[in-house]
Amino acid sequence: MRLRHLKPDENGMVRIVSSRKSKVRFENLITYEKALIHVKEGSALVKNRNTIIKLHSQKQMRELVFERDKYKCHYCGKQGLTLDHMTPRSKGGCSTPKNLVCCCYECNQKKGSLSYKEFIRIIRKEVKTIES
Ligand SMILES: [Zn+2]
């Protein structure tokens, strides 16, 4: 099944289910827009016209991102043990490998619900202030 086959229900929703291999079973409804992001960003596959399969459990997703980023904070380079949604969930970001980065506790707190661009701008300003 391809992405173009995916159709939202009458409420604009799509079913997201755990993969058969996953030990933790779940089923949820998400918006069609979020479903598209999940498939495009490689964290889900289209199962049928109104269902997508989530490829990673939350735990697998954490491990995947931490290993990819070598446990280093994306923003400051220190050891990071939290995950940051580059596009915050409150702004439509999803928990996909593309939208998640390893982040230290301090940066995660500072970033809060700022967008990626806003936060980078603030960090750059701070670096400049220290240098001058
Ligand atoms: Zn950091």
Side-chain angles (χ1 to χ4, degrees):
M1 278 274 170
R2 290 178 185 242
L3 191 53
R4 66 185 159 86
H5 295 123
L6 191 68
K7 297 276 182 290
D9 67 11
E10 64 274 21
N11 299 312
M13 305 300 269
V14 167
R15 223 157 56 95
I16 182 165
V17 298
S18 52
S19 80
R20 222 181 294 163
K21 279 182 260 167
S22 167
K23 284 179 199 146
V24 190
R25 304 235 154 238
F26 76 89
E27 198 183 311
N28 218 336
L29 283 174
I30 58 171
T31 62
Y32 178 64
E33 287 73 28
K34 285 214 166 177
L36 288 183
I37 296 174
H38 273 293
V39 177
K40 281 184 190 159
E41 296 190 357
S43 66
L45 290 174
V46 180
K47 187 185 179 198
N48 58 41
R49 279 194 311 162
N50 38 38
T51 311
I52 60 171
I53 305 171
K54 202 164 182 236
L55 293 173
H56 316 278
S57 68
Q58 231 172 341
K59 194 174 163 239
Q60 285 171 327
M61 182 75 78
R62 287 180 74 82
E63 283 166 3
L64 194 107
V65 176
F66 282 140
E67 271 167 34
R68 183 196 66 199
D69 296 348
K70 314 240 181 301
Y71 291 87
K72 274 194 182 155
C73 174
H74 179 78
Y75 303 103
C76 73
K78 286 185 206 157
Q79 191 193 38
L81 294 169
T82 68
L83 291 181
D84 174 55
H85 287 80
M86 289 197 283
T87 300
R89 270 187 288 195
S90 61
K91 291 179 174 145
C94 295
S95 299
T96 66
K98 237 185 168 172
N99 191 42
L100 287 169
V101 286
C102 178
C103 189
C104 75
Y105 182 75
E106 288 81 19
C107 289
N108 213 334
Q109 289 291 100
K110 265 200 244 173
K111 185 167 175 283
S113 62
L114 292 173
S115 75
Y116 185 73
K117 275 188 181 165
E118 284 167 336
F119 187 55
I120 292 289
R121 214 178 297 141
I122 291 171
I123 296 180
R124 288 218 182 112
K125 262 191 203 157
E126 278 180 9
V127 174
K128 268 188 196 158
T129 326
I130 295 165
E131 281 170 354
S132 58

